[in-house]
Amino acid sequence: MSIQALKGFKDILPDEVGIWQHIEATARDIFHRFGFTEIRVPILEKTELFARSIGEATDIVEKEMYSFSDRNGDSITMRPEGTASVLRSFIEHGLQAKLPVQRLYTIGPMFRHERPQKGRLRQFHQMSVEVLGLDHPRLDAELIAMGWLILEELGLTTTLQINSLGCPACRPAYKEALVAFLAGRKEHICEDCQRRSLSNPLRVLDCKSSHCQEQYVAAPAIIDHLCQGCADHFSQTKASLDLLAVPYTVNPFMVRGLDYYTRTTFELVTDALGAQSAVGAGGRYDGLVEQLGGAKNMPGIGFAMGMERLVLLLNQQNADGCPETTTDLFVAALGEEATVRAFPLVHLLRRKGLQVAMDLEGKSLKSQMKQADRAKARFALILGEEELTKGEAVLRDMTSKEQQQVPLAGPPEALCAILVAAVTRTEQ
Ligand code: HAM
């Protein structure tokens, strides 16, 4: 029996990869326009890094991490998200000394042992950004607007929900109010929520049970419990979003699945993907650098977009803009002599920057023209015995079917120049 991929782990096949590259290229371009530089961090980290940042009492740390002991007996984990690793690297390499405000992005696979379903995998890919060293609310809006722009340039429609989770000064009072509320509803909420109302009360608001959600409609909202600093930060973030014409709704019960957030949190959501509604999400985490052993008062904010969900949406919404893979020129050489002649010519054309395909075995014309069609070739150069004798090959425009003769005499560079000119002329 053949071996299959693990459940929740997916191959990205050759006919899907174009859309992935398109998403990645669009995002990279926008990241660069906003002054971000790429950072690449390892997939494996010490388990402690995630426990300390994401939080011991979160779903991710409690039940979703791929953690194991390596051969030395150390507990290591395949990263379930990128923020903790980027911050670890930021602290470890003293990046703040090089630039007071760091704008970093990273793209790559993440791992969570969740129940796989549409838009939810165990290995999934995130494009994530982090800004360290600035706590101005205008930055919150700028970052959210960048996420919005990525979706806009991809041709995707989503909605933006924002909230503020307060700070260590105002959250304890809110927690108290929430715990008191939950104590009064103990019989009406699920066991998980009962347990969490003691260990990590904010998490209950994230519960997937509709029964619990019905109860939480009446729960106290954190935005009514913000201290003056957090309330000002939130209203300035909203005003800055207005300036950038990014539409949003405030969702006072959005708590996010990770414990490190403070103040602004946000999600870019769609109703087109069933239960997996967030295509991107993030927020501010002003205490996290210090919590991981770095500098005190080092604010941070970031977000991540789930690439699988973007691919699903793009396929669903049929957004155009994803370039089709084509070939500039297919060289159809017939028979051994012509093939030997064409082989170095093709190499030369590729060195000149053209996308060129050829059949290395010199198969029949019919078979080669089929290959040219499959490769979506814009031009075909036909070079058989007859053409060799005449000293002229045939260049066919595969769309208009027009043909022209091109001379074979002279050095290969001359023929190469004619072909490059013919192919690039039609591009303009
Ligand atoms: P997160 O909300 O856990 O945040 O994930 C961000 C995005 O990753 C989600 O909105 C979703 O699109 C995608 N995602 C998450 N889990 C899966 C999955 N199992 N399958 C497919 N896609 C998934 C974070 O990870 C934070 N590190 C974001 C952040 C960066 N906050 C600040 N900086």
Side-chain angles (χ1 to χ4, degrees), residues 60 80-83 112 114 119-122 124 126 128-130 256 258 260-261 278-283 285 301-306 308-309:
I60 297 179
E81 57 114 42
T83 310
R112 295 183 194 174
E114 295 189 80
R120 189 163 74 193
L121 286 111
R122 289 181 174 171
F124 59 99
Q126 281 186 347
S128 67
V129 298
E130 316 295 344
R256 310 277 301 113
L258 306 96
Y260 49 62
Y261 291 111
V279 287
Y285 44 78
I301 181 169
F303 73 82
M305 286 184 160
E308 280 74 7
R309 294 184 191 174

Side-chain angles (χ1 to χ4, degrees), residues 73-294:
D74 298 324
S75 176
I76 55 177
T77 293
M78 294 172 77
R79 60 180 189 194
E81 57 114 42
T83 310
S85 305
V86 170
L87 265 59
R88 194 256 321 124
S89 176
F90 170 85
I91 297 165
E92 187 172 334
H93 300 285
L95 296 187
Q96 79 270 26
K98 297 189 179 130
L99 197 69
V101 180
Q102 287 279 345
R103 294 178 167 234
L104 305 166
Y105 77 87
T106 194
I107 300 178
M110 309 292 158
F111 305 85
R112 295 183 194 174
H113 195 278
E114 295 189 80
R115 204 155 35 81
Q117 51 173 263
K118 184 178 173 188
R120 189 163 74 193
L121 286 111
R122 289 181 174 171
Q123 175 177 325
F124 59 99
H125 298 76
Q126 281 186 347
M127 306 189 292
S128 67
V129 298
E130 316 295 344
V131 182
L132 293 145
L134 188 66
D135 63 0
H136 200 285
R138 224 170 266 142
L139 172 63
D140 303 29
E142 185 194 14
L143 206 71
I144 294 172
M146 181 173 80
W148 190 258
L149 184 64
I150 292 175
L151 296 171
E152 198 176 280
E153 290 202 4
L154 287 173
L156 296 174
T157 315
T158 57
T159 52
L160 168 66
Q161 297 190 353
I162 61 168
N163 191 20
S164 173
L165 291 183
C167 68
C170 51
R171 207 179 300 161
Y174 170 66
K175 263 190 191 168
E176 237 173 73
L178 183 62
V179 169
F181 167 86
L182 294 171
R185 302 246 176 340
K186 213 168 153 195
E187 282 83 56
H188 306 288
I189 57 177
C190 70
E191 265 178 37
D192 234 19
C193 283
Q194 286 180 26
R195 186 174 57 81
R196 290 212 156 147
S197 64
L198 305 173
S199 64
N200 195 350
L202 259 71
R203 280 276 78 73
V204 304
L205 299 175
D206 227 10
C207 180
K208 298 285 172 281
S209 146
S210 54
H211 193 69
C212 292
Q213 283 303 333
E214 275 166 30
Q215 298 296 318
Y216 302 148
V217 174
I222 180 122
I223 44 173
D224 299 327
H225 290 76
L226 298 178
C227 61
Q228 197 54 50
C230 288
D232 288 348
H233 188 98
F234 195 46
S235 59
Q236 286 177 44
T237 299
K238 289 189 288 184
S240 302
L241 281 172
D242 293 337
L243 277 178
L244 300 180
V246 177
Y248 57 84
T249 51
V250 175
N251 175 356
F253 296 114
M254 183 178 71
V255 286
R256 310 277 301 113
L258 306 96
D259 278 352
Y260 49 62
Y261 291 111
T262 52
R263 296 193 162 173
T264 314
T265 53
F266 60 95
E267 289 189 354
L268 291 153
V269 295
T270 169
D271 49 17
L273 293 180
Q276 307 314 313
S277 59
V279 287
R284 190 161 270 294
Y285 44 78
D286 289 343
L288 187 54
V289 170
E290 183 181 349
Q291 207 173 305
L292 289 174

Side-chain angles (χ1 to χ4, degrees), residues 225-394:
H225 290 76
L226 298 178
C227 61
Q228 197 54 50
C230 288
D232 288 348
H233 188 98
F234 195 46
S235 59
Q236 286 177 44
T237 299
K238 289 189 288 184
S240 302
L241 281 172
D242 293 337
L243 277 178
L244 300 180
V246 177
Y248 57 84
T249 51
V250 175
N251 175 356
F253 296 114
M254 183 178 71
V255 286
R256 310 277 301 113
L258 306 96
D259 278 352
Y260 49 62
Y261 291 111
T262 52
R263 296 193 162 173
T264 314
T265 53
F266 60 95
E267 289 189 354
L268 291 153
V269 295
T270 169
D271 49 17
L273 293 180
Q276 307 314 313
S277 59
V279 287
R284 190 161 270 294
Y285 44 78
D286 289 343
L288 187 54
V289 170
E290 183 181 349
Q291 207 173 305
L292 289 174
K296 280 200 171 79
N297 305 321
M298 174 60 68
I301 181 169
F303 73 82
M305 286 184 160
M307 295 183 75
E308 280 74 7
R309 294 184 191 174
L310 294 175
V311 170
L312 279 172
L313 274 184
L314 271 176
N315 284 333
Q316 228 163 278
Q317 298 189 5
N318 251 342
D320 25 80
C322 178
E324 223 187 11
T325 323
T326 54
T327 303
D328 293 323
L329 177 70
F330 189 92
V331 176
L334 313 167
E336 185 60 15
E337 198 189 335
T339 306
V340 168
R341 183 87 183 260
F343 190 53
L345 172 70
V346 166
H347 189 59
L348 196 58
L349 287 163
R350 288 172 176 157
R351 288 179 66 184
K352 295 287 175 204
L354 291 196
Q355 277 175 294
V356 191
M358 81 172 281
D359 180 290
L360 296 175
E361 298 168 298
K363 288 202 184 117
S364 74
L365 182 61
K366 195 172 156 203
S367 146
Q368 293 205 40
M369 291 326 271
K370 257 195 209 159
Q371 290 181 46
D373 279 339
R374 244 182 273 136
K376 300 199 181 74
R378 293 168 43 230
F379 286 89
L381 182 77
I382 299 157
L383 186 58
E385 251 173 57
E386 203 185 310
E387 285 76 18
L388 284 181
T389 324
K390 273 198 342 204
E392 279 183 335
V394 176

Side-chain angles (χ1 to χ4, degrees), residues 31-47:
F31 293 157
H32 294 152
R33 278 186 249 163
F34 280 75
F36 283 76
T37 44
E38 185 173 9
I39 180 166
R40 299 186 185 192
V41 287
I43 283 171
L44 288 177
E45 296 275 3
K46 289 181 182 161
T47 301

